[in-house]
């Protein structure tokens, strides 16, 4: 009897495990995102893009030794920026910020339009190509805005300041 009970427990456990595995296999990892206003962007993404935030676009520059203007300004004393350098970095930052806000708004609008085409069931392949081109061109311009600012500020720094920046950011020990 104990042997039969053990077999029943094993079989029931296997059935429960199989059912659970099937549910995990069929359940989409995106279920929590169905309520988003733009399915491809979280609220945090939209907020960052609309305020001109970096959204990780400048990582190739940042992680390869090209300082960012925002961080430079917050660490100006530790890095030893001169008043002239601070003024130039501030100007580059303000220009980047202005352009990033404008392009971020265009990118969010393009993603919203793409999302709406699917939501309204009005998308065709031709329209889809145009919507994607619009969104990706905007994304490309936005990335250029952020990366170009890193190039600009690096050009006005000394090698020692770049090294100190990287050390303070934790990139080089």
């Amino acid at each position: 009897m104990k042997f039969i009970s053990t077999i029943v427990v094993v079989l029931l456990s296997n059935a429960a495990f199989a059912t659970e595995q099937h549910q995990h296999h069929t359940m989409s990892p995106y279920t929590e995102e169905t309520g988003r206003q733009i399915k491809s962007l979280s609220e945090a993404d939209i907020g960052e893009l609309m305020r001109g935030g970096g959204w990780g676009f400048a990582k190739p520059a940042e992680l390869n030794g090209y300082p960012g203007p925002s961080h430079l300004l917050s660490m100006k004393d530790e890095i030893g920026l001169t008043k002239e350098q601070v003024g130039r970095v501030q100007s580059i930052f303000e220009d980047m910020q202005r352009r990033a806000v404008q392009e971020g708004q265009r990118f969010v609008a393009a993603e919203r339009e793409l999302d709406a085409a699917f939501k309204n069931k009005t998308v065709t392949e031709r329209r889809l190509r145009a919507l994607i081109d619009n969104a990706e061109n905007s994304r490309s311009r936005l990335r250029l805005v952020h990366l170009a600012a890193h190039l600009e500020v690096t050009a006005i720094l000394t090698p020692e300041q770049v090294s100190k920046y990287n050390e303070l950011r934790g990139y080089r020990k």
Side-chain angles (χ1 to χ4, degrees):
M1 189 66 161
K2 188 174 183 178
F3 178 71
I4 292 174
S5 297
T6 302
I7 291 174
V8 168
V9 168
V10 169
L11 290 175
L12 290 175
S13 296
N14 284 342
F17 178 76
T19 300
E20 182 179 328
Q21 290 302 309
H22 179 70
Q23 287 173 342
H24 287 298
H25 178 69
T26 59
M27 183 66 72
S28 170
Y30 307 128
T31 57
E32 298 297 318
E33 298 172 10
T34 59
R36 289 179 172 182
Q37 61 174 294
I38 302 171
K39 304 303 185 255
S40 60
L41 300 172
S42 70
E43 295 303 315
D45 293 335
I46 294 168
E48 178 147 353
L49 290 162
M50 297 299 275
R51 70 171 176 74
W55 210 45
F57 283 134
K59 281 184 182 180
E62 178 75 16
L63 298 177
N64 283 296
Y66 291 78
S70 172
H71 302 299
L72 277 170
L73 291 171
S74 68
M75 299 184 302
K76 65 185 176 202
D77 295 331
E78 297 96 310
I79 294 172
L81 296 182
T82 66
K83 287 185 184 195
E84 181 186 337
Q85 285 175 314
V86 170
R88 290 177 68 192
V89 171
Q90 184 68 46
S91 176
I92 292 167
F93 174 73
E94 288 170 2
D95 183 55
M96 177 200 73
Q97 191 70 30
R98 179 188 52 75
R99 293 171 53 215
V101 166
Q102 291 170 348
E103 199 58 56
Q105 290 171 349
R106 284 192 285 269
F107 178 65
V108 169
E111 286 292 321
R112 182 174 279 119
E113 190 176 2
L114 175 62
D115 189 76
F118 278 96
K119 183 178 182 179
N120 299 331
K121 312 283 191 248
T122 59
V123 68
T124 63
E125 186 171 340
R126 182 174 180 210
R127 180 76 176 127
L128 179 60
R129 287 181 191 280
L131 291 167
I132 289 173
D133 285 348
N134 186 36
E136 291 307 312
N137 287 335
S138 178
R139 184 181 190 279
S140 176
R141 288 187 303 268
L142 186 55
R143 193 168 193 200
L144 179 61
V145 165
H146 287 284
L147 287 166
H150 282 250
L151 280 178
E152 284 185 79
V153 296
T154 300
I156 65 173
L157 301 174
T158 67
E160 294 78 23
Q161 289 171 323
V162 172
S163 181
K164 186 65 173 175
Y165 174 92
N166 287 317
E167 178 187 323
L168 290 170
R169 296 285 287 159
Y171 304 140
R172 304 225 172 92
K173 304 280 181 201

